[in-house]
């Protein structure tokens, strides 16, 4: 049991102790695991929040079950629900949140090791985080291709089609064009497995921050428990996962509020606001 064997690193399990650790020389590499909760304040609904989540609002699309919107067979037979949803959550309609700017600030301080995200909204890159630091584990709206001949499709053309409620078709074979979002049953990007494994084996991270995720979708969620030997922080509206190690910190609330308090403690609040205003 790792929590028994490794020495305690943090002075306490609170925000002040976290800030103190982040300012110390022991904390050089921070890894993040993000979910839909970091984008809700941008106006993009999450999946599972009762009432406001996408899953509770998909009923009007006449689906056999909410998950069908991300199933390949269903998409082939009826792409309309997916494209209806895609129009609603299309990234260009939204602005990054304060939490996304916090990631940029971590990067500016040379502390960001890897930002693992389940989000498909590309708001991390739009906040200025370099692409090579981001692992979009479930793919994203950043690129798209034909589901039959795999020909890539133009960014501007798909955006226009989606926002005009049209179904984009491959210019070569007329197959359906789909954003490179990982559907159920599809493999996750190789980069995700490579980076997750190296994180687990090399123990590169000095700190893991998990934000705005219900930690229910595997294999992504299980990474939180496979990361060993470093403090872990959960920032979420409600308690999720297994954050019971001696160096775990659980900060419950809205991630934008908590990130602001943390930055205040770190002396980074002005920088955070400047970054966010620039988005
Ligand atoms: P989820 O299962 O909907 O969970 C979201 C979690 O965030 C819940 O525990 C909420 O309590 C919490 N939460 C909501 N708002 C906040 C907030 N302001 N501050 C802190 N916590 C908050 O979403 P997950 O990401 O865990 O599920 C994985 C799915 C959701 C992935 O496959 C994503 O692709 C997919 N998704 C992505 C987006 C997006 O890209 N923005 C939107 C909706 C769903």
């Amino acid at each position: 049991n790792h929590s028994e064997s490794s020495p305690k690193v943090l002075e306490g399990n609170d925000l002040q102790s976290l800030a103190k650790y982040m300012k110390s020389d022991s904390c050089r590499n921070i890894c993040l695991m993000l979910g839909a909760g970091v984008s809700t304040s941008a106006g993009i609904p999450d999946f599972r929040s009762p009432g406001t989540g996408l899953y509770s609002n998909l009923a009007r699309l006449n689906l056999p079950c909410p998950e069908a919107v991300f199933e390949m067979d269903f998409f082939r037979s009826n792409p309309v629900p997916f494209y209806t949803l895609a129009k609603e959550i299309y990234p260009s309609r939204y602005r990054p949140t304060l939490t996304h700017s916090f990631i940029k600030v971590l990067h500016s301080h040379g502390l960001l090791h890897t930002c693992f995200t389940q989000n498909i909204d590309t708001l991390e890159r739009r906040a200025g985080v370099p692409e090579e630091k981001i692992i979009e584990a479930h793919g994203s709206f950043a690129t798209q291709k034909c589901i039959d001949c795999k020909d890539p499709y133009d960014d501007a053309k798909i955006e226009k089609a989606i926002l005009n409620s049209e179904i984009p078709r491959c210019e070569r074979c007329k197959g359906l064009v789909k954003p490179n979002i990982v559907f159920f049953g599809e493999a996750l990007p190789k980069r995700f497995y490579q980076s997750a494994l190296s994180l687990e084996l090399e123990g590169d991270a000095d700190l893991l921050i998990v934000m705005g995720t219900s930690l229910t979708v595997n294999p992504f969620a299980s990474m939180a428990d496979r990361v060993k030997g470093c403090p872990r922080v959960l920032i979420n509206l409600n308690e999720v996962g297994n954050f019971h190690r001696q160096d775990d910190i659980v900060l419950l609330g809205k991630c934008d509020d908590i990130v602001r308090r943390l930055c205040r403690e770190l002396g980074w609040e002005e920088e955070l606001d400047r970054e966010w205003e620039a988005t």
Side-chain angles (χ1 to χ4, degrees):
N1 182 337
H2 184 83
S3 60
E4 303 291 317
S5 58
S6 72
K8 192 163 162 53
V9 172
L10 301 173
E11 282 179 9
N13 302 73
D14 51 21
L15 187 113
Q16 285 72 23
S17 306
L18 172 62
K20 190 163 181 199
Y21 176 65
M22 285 174 72
K23 280 195 268 189
S24 76
D25 287 343
S26 313
C27 185
R28 292 170 183 280
N29 292 304
I30 301 180
C31 284
L32 303 175
M33 286 176 65
L34 310 181
V38 303
S39 295
T40 49
S41 71
I44 307 176
D46 64 13
F47 274 3
R48 292 173 185 82
S49 284
T52 56
L54 282 171
Y55 278 163
S56 36
N57 289 310
L58 284 173
R60 63 198 161 79
L61 294 180
N62 260 330
L63 295 165
C65 63
E67 289 82 0
V69 77
F70 297 116
E71 278 167 10
M72 206 52 160
D73 289 343
F74 184 80
F75 178 75
R76 274 183 193 281
S77 69
N78 179 11
V80 175
F82 171 77
Y83 276 108
T84 306
L85 182 86
K87 182 178 178 183
E88 227 164 279
I89 63 174
Y90 206 68
S92 60
R93 302 178 45 182
Y94 299 96
R95 177 186 167 197
T97 68
L98 198 73
T99 302
H100 291 105
S101 294
F102 168 65
I103 307 168
K104 171 69 193 300
V105 172
L106 284 177
H107 172 65
S108 308
H109 285 260
L111 291 170
L112 181 64
H113 183 283
T114 307
C115 173
F116 291 92
T117 183
Q118 300 168 89
N119 294 346
I120 53 181
D121 57 32
T122 69
L123 291 182
E124 300 87 359
R125 6 170 143 203
R126 297 247 316 278
V129 181
E131 215 175 306
E132 66 270 16
K133 295 269 171 177
I134 305 168
I135 307 265
E136 291 168 334
H138 297 164
S140 80
F141 279 106
T143 57
Q144 51 284 320
K145 62 175 179 294
C146 170
I147 61 170
D148 294 324
C149 77
K150 316 292 178 202
D151 231 30
Y153 191 80
D154 183 71
D155 297 349
K157 283 184 187 159
I158 195 168
E159 176 172 4
K160 189 160 171 258
I162 289 180
L163 297 181
N164 288 331
S165 307
E166 291 156 12
I167 307 289
R169 293 266 175 189
C170 175
E171 284 160 348
R172 204 163 82 177
C173 77
K174 299 282 167 247
L176 287 164
V177 173
K178 172 179 122 3
N180 291 323
I181 291 166
V182 179
F183 273 24
F184 290 114
E186 284 189 300
L188 272 57
K190 279 202 192 74
R191 256 184 93 214
F192 167 75
Y193 288 106
Q194 287 159 352
S195 307
L197 193 68
S198 104
L199 190 65
E200 196 181 322
L201 298 180
E202 314 290 333
D204 287 340
D206 301 319
L207 178 67
L208 176 71
I209 304 180
V210 179
M211 289 194 279
T213 170
S214 60
L215 283 182
T216 48
V217 180
N218 277 318
F220 190 91
S222 64
M223 194 167 71
D225 286 334
R226 290 198 311 267
V227 172
K228 302 268 162 69
C230 71
R232 302 181 306 169
V233 185
L234 171 72
I235 300 175
N236 208 55
L237 280 183
N238 55 311
E239 213 163 334
V240 298
N242 315 295
F243 288 80
H244 309 297
R245 296 182 193 160
Q246 59 176 355
D247 274 330
D248 284 349
I249 300 181
V250 175
L251 302 169
L252 298 184
K254 291 183 185 167
C255 50
D256 290 348
D257 295 345
I258 293 168
V259 153
R260 176 175 291 288
R261 276 170 47 214
L262 178 60
C263 285
R264 192 172 301 154
E265 201 66 32
L266 287 160
W268 297 355
E269 195 179 9
E270 266 180 39
E271 186 181 351
L272 177 71
D273 281 324
R274 240 182 295 123
E275 269 305 339
W276 193 50
E277 273 151 30
T279 59

